[in-house]
Amino acid sequence: MKKFVLLLVTFVIALAFAGCVNVGTTASTTAGTQETTTLQLAEELPDEEVEITFWHIYGTDKTALLDQMIAEFEAMYPNVTITDTSQTDYNTLREKINMGISVDQVPTMALGYPDHFAGYIEADAVLKLDDYINNTTEYEITNSSSSIFGETVTIGLDLDDFVASYLEENSQYEGGYYYSLPFSKSTETMAVNVDVLKAHLTEIRAAGITISDNGFLSHDVPLTYAQIEALADIIVDTNGTNTTTSKCEYLLNYDSSGNMFINMSRQWNAPYTNTDGEILIDNDTTKSMLQYVQDLFLNNTLALPIAWDQSYGSTNFKYGDVCMSVGSTAGVNYNIPTDADTQENLQFGQFQVDFVPVPQFVATEGDSFTVSIDGTDSTFTGSLSAVQQGPNIGIFSSASSAEKLYAWLFLKYLIETDNTAKWAMNTGYLPARLSSYSSEAAIDLTASYSTNYADFLQIAKDFWDADGEVTWATTDVRWNYLYSSMVANIAQSQNTYYQYDPAFAAGTNSAGSATARVEAGYCLENIYIGTLASGSSYNPNTALNTMLNQLTW
């Protein structure tokens, strides 16, 4: 009898597994219980028609490059169609997905930040990728119409080749699982008006700031906020831009008020949030920080894009309203004045633009710094911090098994060594893989120009070494990649102190991290409005209390 039961069980198991292959087992611990999940895939790649929908936020130029990669992937897998759709901005993307989750109408895959995925995970709507990452299955491509006919495709992914901090960001969730992988990674750098700086060399050097004869600041050592204040005394004309004296109305614009609040909190060691989802902003250090920021607003040292009723300050940087502007590496080209701009708006003409690291409060981690707040000096312990940002890609669990598999293969394709390097060189984003930095393989950027990432980085180095006086012909293709090369070098110089936000979904007593970031931005904007508007009730304390009321209950 026991033999019969054993045979019966064996037969049932064999029947259940017929036509499938076990490609990986991942053990997970939930509430103290060991839970094992096994991914099952067909023995051969599915050959039915499969449509993958991919939601992102890219504009025309980036979408055109993405569509090239999609066409290449579809040539590899002729039965797959990928439909990509831009959702304009991240908030719209997140909100549409959150609404779609409740009615099971979400894309196959989408871009998102960790705080977006934290909400999707809470709703059990996004796929855990570990079962794909860790498997060893290989498929031979037998479709003669495929551009890779006869080749072998592996499902697994070697994570050792990825930038460590990017992996940490994507595995910060409970259990350490990957629900997304890095794609369009970026950081912030600071654009500067070199022509204005060059007009004030003597004064700038007298303030102890290193600057070249042609107005280039250090590309390795960030300016401190003490130096930012000194520069404001030299090149800010609070009565309005005066081109005859090469001064701007404001010194420094910060594109993302949310990033500014969060990154400055790290630099001040001011509590913000934590991985448990606690909102920690009600503390003396944060209050002092906000009072200091208000002082910078008052003397035009610092501005936000709302000063010009804009979402970004890049246009007003080009117009000469502000001499420096902190923004994403992915938006590098928006800061460069060109013939396409209305020339009469360019108060300094088509000036030379350079990029440097984001300002810090200390030169070395753990140093102390002193700032004046309402006329009183206060000392704090500082940290180095630059924002690690840029979206990742995840796959939604409502997709069919074939859709999930091909979505995974597409995600793998996007972040291959050459593709992530090509994406970076063309967009201002940064490679996700370490091998991109060292690969000697030439990548076609145009029909007539190929280069590898190391040589791409060298473009800016050669320009800086020549103090901007290179002998390149006007038709030299290196001019087309100069600014992207600049921000890539700056990003590399500050990557030792990248930091990312802890991601968490909304709890019973507080909002999630995505909302916290939005409210952090509103807090600074409220302070800025209160600074400018007579009779406004907003000051640092009321703005912080408003933020607390929006995030806790």
Side-chain angles (χ1 to χ4, degrees):
M1 181 66 179
K2 290 181 180 179
K3 290 182 179 180
F4 173 76
V5 171
L6 181 60
L7 288 171
L8 180 61
V9 170
T10 303
F11 172 76
V12 170
I13 293 174
L15 183 64
F17 279 71
C20 297
V21 58
N22 185 334
V23 298
T25 301
T26 301
S28 62
T29 303
T30 304
T33 304
Q34 195 73 10
E35 174 190 346
T36 301
T37 303
T38 303
L39 174 68
Q40 299 296 328
L41 294 178
E43 291 181 343
E44 297 181 356
L45 275 175
D47 59 3
E48 72 263 27
E49 294 295 318
V50 174
E51 181 177 5
I52 305 296
T53 52
F54 177 34
W55 286 5
H56 55 80
I57 48 76
Y58 300 127
T60 303
D61 291 344
K62 293 182 178 70
T63 297
L65 179 57
L66 176 63
D67 287 343
Q68 289 179 24
M69 295 182 175
I70 288 174
E72 293 164 0
F73 183 82
E74 290 176 338
M76 296 164 61
Y77 304 97
N79 60 311
V80 178
T81 300
I82 298 179
T83 303
D84 67 298
T85 305
S86 177
Q87 302 297 336
T88 307
D89 59 62
Y90 290 111
N91 285 338
T92 301
L93 174 67
R94 176 173 59 91
E95 290 168 3
K96 288 187 72 171
I97 290 176
N98 282 334
M99 288 188 292
I101 287 173
S102 61
V103 293
D104 199 23
Q105 292 184 3
V106 294
T108 316
M109 56 197 303
L111 286 181
Y113 279 100
D115 46 19
H116 299 178
F117 284 106
Y120 307 155
I121 294 167
E122 184 76 10
D124 197 26
V126 68
L127 184 67
K128 184 176 68 177
L129 300 177
D130 299 69
D131 291 334
Y132 293 89
I133 293 169
N134 298 322
N135 77 74
T136 58
T137 298
E138 296 182 345
Y139 287 118
E140 182 182 352
I141 304 301
T142 59
N143 186 337
S144 60
S145 300
S146 168
S147 63
I148 55 172
F149 171 63
E151 297 183 21
T152 298
V153 173
T154 61
I155 299 302
L157 182 64
D158 178 14
L159 294 184
D160 290 339
D161 188 35
F162 287 82
V163 176
S165 59
Y166 296 165
L167 294 180
E168 292 165 7
E169 176 187 313
N170 281 275
S171 60
Q172 63 177 293
Y173 313 104
E174 184 176 359
Y177 297 124
Y178 291 92
Y179 291 91
S180 58
L181 285 175
F183 178 49
S184 294
K185 304 313 294 177
S186 62
T187 186
E188 290 178 327
T189 57
M190 186 164 70
V192 298
N193 185 323
V194 174
D195 290 10
V196 168
L197 295 180
K198 185 178 180 181
H200 300 276
L201 288 180
T202 302
E203 298 158 276
I204 291 171
R205 285 170 174 162
I209 298 171
T210 300
I211 189 169
S212 77
D213 290 342
N214 285 332
F216 291 90
L217 297 167
S218 172
H219 301 103
D220 302 310
V221 180
L223 291 171
T224 65
Y225 272 91
Q227 292 173 320
I228 289 292
E229 291 186 65
L231 283 171
D233 291 338
I234 297 168
I235 61 176
V236 168
D237 176 9
T238 57
N239 296 318
T241 302
N242 184 339
T243 57
T244 60
T245 56
S246 294
K247 293 187 177 183
C248 300
E249 184 177 1
Y250 303 91
L251 178 70
L252 172 61
N253 162 72
Y254 217 113
D255 267 354
S256 171
S257 52
N259 279 0
M260 179 184 160
F261 185 108
I262 296 166
N263 199 47
M264 195 173 279
S265 294
R266 295 168 183 153
Q267 293 174 341
W268 283 57
N269 289 308
Y272 170 61
T273 62
N274 61 22
T275 54
D276 293 328
E278 296 176 302
I279 308 299
L280 306 172
I281 57 176
D282 190 10
N283 63 82
D284 290 340
T285 305
T286 297
K287 292 174 182 177
S288 295
M289 179 189 80
L290 294 179
Q291 290 173 336
Y292 172 74
V293 168
Q294 184 183 44
D295 289 344
L296 298 185
F297 287 154
L298 282 168
N299 60 24
N300 284 22
T301 298
L302 185 62
L304 300 176
I306 57 173
W308 310 285
D309 196 26
Q310 298 290 323
S311 298
Y312 301 95
S314 49
T315 296
N316 296 87
F317 172 71
K318 291 191 295 184
Y319 287 176
D321 299 320
V322 61
C323 285
M324 300 178 171
S325 185
V326 172
S328 171
T329 55
V332 52
N333 289 323
Y334 293 111
N335 296 285
I336 314 303
T338 68
D339 290 339
D341 294 300
T342 305
Q343 297 301 297
E344 56 264 30
N345 289 334
L346 302 178
Q347 300 180 63
F348 299 112
Q350 293 184 28
F351 58 86
Q352 174 64 60
V353 179
D354 191 27
F355 291 87
V356 298
V358 294
Q360 304 289 326
F361 283 88
V362 295
T364 304
E365 181 73 23
D367 282 356
S368 61
F369 66 95
T370 300
V371 293
S372 176
I373 301 173
D374 291 335
T376 301
D377 286 348
S378 299
T379 301
F380 301 87
T381 300
S383 289
L384 297 168
S385 178
V387 170
Q388 175 178 300
Q389 59 182 19
N392 309 303
I393 298 181
I395 300 169
F396 289 92
S397 50
S398 59
S400 70
S401 58
E403 290 167 349
K404 290 174 184 174
L405 176 58
Y406 281 113
W408 166 253
L409 289 174
F410 179 53
L411 173 50
K412 272 193 66 179
Y413 183 70
L414 290 175
I415 56 179
E416 285 182 356
T417 295
D418 288 352
N419 282 339
T420 189
K422 182 176 182 178
W423 182 259
M425 288 188 280
N426 276 285
T427 64
Y429 285 111
L430 308 172
R433 300 181 82 126
L434 296 171
S435 55
S436 298
Y437 289 89
S438 58
S439 173
E440 296 181 359
I443 300 168
D444 294 333
L445 297 182
T446 69
S448 58
Y449 180 61
S450 301
T451 189
N452 59 47
Y453 201 77
D455 288 343
F456 163 75
L457 291 174
Q458 193 64 40
I459 294 172
K461 293 176 184 177
D462 289 344
F463 183 85
W464 289 329
D465 287 345
D467 204 16
E469 296 181 349
V470 290
T471 57
W472 305 340
T474 55
T475 56
D476 194 313
V477 72
R478 283 176 291 184
W479 289 113
N480 298 333
Y481 295 93
L482 174 61
Y483 298 109
S484 293
S485 178
M486 284 180 173
V487 298
N489 277 279
I490 299 306
Q492 197 171 38
S493 76
Q494 59 189 25
N495 64 10
T496 56
Y497 45 88
Y498 281 166
Q499 297 195 49
Y500 58 87
D501 295 351
F504 52 89
T508 56
N509 298 312
S510 61
S513 53
T515 303
R517 167 176 288 276
V518 172
E519 292 299 329
Y522 289 158
C523 178
L524 286 185
E525 290 178 3
N526 285 334
I527 294 172
Y528 190 79
I529 293 169
T531 300
L532 299 181
S534 60
S536 170
S537 61
Y538 274 110
N539 57 48
N541 285 333
T542 54
L544 188 64
N545 287 334
T546 298
M547 181 179 174
L548 275 169
N549 290 336
Q550 293 298 315
L551 297 180
T552 58
W553 45 81

